[in-house]
Amino acid sequence: MFEIKNLLNIDLDNQVFIKPDYLNHPCISGNKYRKLKYNILEAKRLNKKVLLTFGGAYSNHIQAVAATGKEFGFKTIGVIRGEELADKIQENPTLSFAKQQGMEFQFVSREAYREKTTDSFINNLKNLFGNFYLIPEGGTNNFAVKGCEEILTETDKTFDFICCPVGTGGTISGLINSSFPEQKILGFPALKGDFLQEEISKFANNSNWELILEYHFGGYAKINTELISFINMFNERYSIPLDPIYTGKMMFGIFDLIKQGYFPKGSKILAIHTGGLQGIEGMNKTLIRKKLPIIN
Ligand SMILES: *Cc1c(COP(=O)(O)O)cnc(C)c1O
């Protein structure tokens, strides 16, 4: 647990702490490790030998499934959005890492990828790859939520607010389920999405939560120079790296809310650092191409 001291150089009446949940495993980062834990046990129980999942070019989830498969002795298949990536594996740090871990790819067009949850799409995959254990895009299912219920521990009871980034909603659902009733869970969606409220309600069994919708920076993986300078300032000052897709946006949001006086005086705030640092390299390649400042 790290305390963020000298917040913004102003004497504020809130205390902010970071739980570095990305240090839980050397190469399966943060919440993706939590989300896979019980899925792996279930796949073993069902005697499956192959894990199949879905993701985009720089997906933390693809990275994590590839590394988990290698570690626990599963063959892994990644269904990847974007046919054009098939001959760009070497230039893409996420995909080349996944390949090194033994992942086999099936590249599909964006149109086909949208159909990935339909029976006909899944049956096609079964014809191609045989019997597999399917993990949804982003990894969220009941097993994933159960894993994320283990992020908070008894000692976290002292916090008034618990903050986390939100992608598909599995992580925040786990936090909600294991929180104490007097705590409030704030989710910072990394994308524009009206579906999240409903998705989280499917898994969460408490109502002590809220989504803060103002810090997606235009959508999933969209960033700007203000966010990059914030991430660089944060790392310089606190020696904690943030990723541009999830944790950077959340922490930017927390600081902004503090400045606005959102939190009552004396609040203790816990930010969950969910990992995602593997995505920095890929993002920097894009930033260099666009001649924009990079993440240090
Ligand atoms: C995937 C991811 C999230 C979002 O988790 P969900 O359970 O999909 O909401 C947050 N942070 C990081 C670093 C991630 O990789």
Side-chain angles (χ1 to χ4, degrees):
M1 194 87 66
F2 301 120
E3 180 170 6
I4 302 300
K5 292 228 166 82
N6 304 320
L7 272 173
L8 316 158
N9 286 340
I10 338 167
D11 190 21
L12 288 154
D13 296 319
N14 304 130
Q15 272 181 295
V16 179
F17 293 80
I18 290 196
K19 195 181 184 77
D21 205 40
Y22 62 103
L23 303 172
N24 52 9
H25 193 282
C27 62
I28 311 167
S29 126
N31 70 338
K32 296 303 184 285
Y33 173 72
R34 304 276 186 187
K35 294 175 83 169
L36 286 170
K37 177 178 167 189
Y38 289 103
N39 276 295
I40 292 296
L41 292 176
E42 178 65 2
K44 283 230 152 101
R45 194 184 69 80
L46 296 170
N47 212 10
K48 303 273 185 174
K49 306 280 181 264
V50 181
L51 306 176
L52 179 142
T53 196
F54 310 88
Y58 300 101
S59 162
N60 296 331
H61 172 66
I62 286 290
Q63 192 266 0
V65 170
T68 308
K70 173 138 196 247
E71 178 159 332
F72 294 94
F74 292 91
K75 182 176 166 41
T76 53
I77 296 161
V79 179
I80 309 294
R81 181 180 60 229
E83 289 164 308
E84 75 285 358
L85 294 163
D87 42 64
K88 295 202 181 105
I89 297 173
Q90 290 321 314
E91 302 150 43
N92 179 306
T94 303
L95 296 180
S96 54
F97 171 87
K99 192 177 168 189
Q100 271 169 29
Q101 305 294 301
M103 184 175 260
E104 186 180 330
F105 300 122
Q106 176 74 7
F107 293 95
V108 301
S109 69
R110 283 167 175 72
E111 300 77 64
Y113 192 82
R114 259 178 246 128
E115 305 296 314
K116 66 185 172 302
T117 55
T118 62
D119 288 345
S120 69
F121 192 92
I122 306 283
N123 284 333
N124 266 337
L125 291 172
K126 283 186 182 154
N127 289 336
L128 277 173
F129 299 111
N131 187 14
F132 51 73
Y133 181 83
L134 187 145
I135 304 174
E137 182 183 42
T140 291
N141 57 18
N142 285 317
F143 294 112
V145 173
K146 183 175 171 191
C148 292
E149 288 172 5
E150 296 173 355
I151 297 174
L152 290 180
T153 59
E154 196 59 32
T155 53
D156 298 326
K157 205 172 182 165
T158 58
F159 292 101
D160 305 299
F161 290 89
I162 295 171
C163 302
C164 75
V166 177
T168 57
T171 305
I172 191 171
S173 299
L175 291 170
I176 294 165
N177 292 350
S178 59
S179 66
F180 299 95
E182 60 283 2
Q183 295 182 312
K184 182 145 191 200
I185 317 298
L186 299 181
F188 294 76
L191 68 172
K192 290 192 233 173
D194 307 332
F195 62 95
L196 278 171
Q197 201 84 21
E198 201 184 319
E199 196 60 19
I200 296 166
S201 305
K202 278 191 220 158
F203 294 108
N205 54 27
N206 281 317
S207 55
N208 56 341
W209 58 280
E210 190 183 326
L211 293 181
I212 308 289
L213 302 171
E214 287 79 32
Y215 300 101
H216 56 65
F217 286 79
Y220 186 74
K222 298 268 187 343
I223 60 169
N224 62 22
T225 45
E226 193 186 7
L227 181 65
I228 296 167
S229 348
F230 175 81
I231 289 171
N232 288 338
M233 174 284 284
F234 196 89
N235 198 3
E236 231 165 76
R237 192 183 286 187
Y238 306 114
S239 299
I240 299 174
L242 300 171
D243 83 293
I245 317 280
Y246 293 105
T247 55
K249 292 181 181 181
M250 164 188 70
M251 200 54 73
F252 185 100
I254 294 173
F255 272 44
D256 201 48
L257 290 180
I258 289 173
K259 276 193 253 174
Q260 293 173 23
Y262 173 93
F263 298 102
K265 236 180 161 105
S267 294
K268 275 184 83 183
I269 303 157
L270 179 65
I272 309 294
H273 193 315
T274 44
L277 301 177
Q278 70 90 28
I280 292 176
E281 197 185 339
M283 181 61 84
N284 275 345
K285 288 197 165 195
T286 309
L287 291 170
I288 288 167
R289 205 164 359 94
K290 293 184 177 165
K291 301 197 163 53
L292 289 169
I294 65 164
I295 299 159
N296 299 322

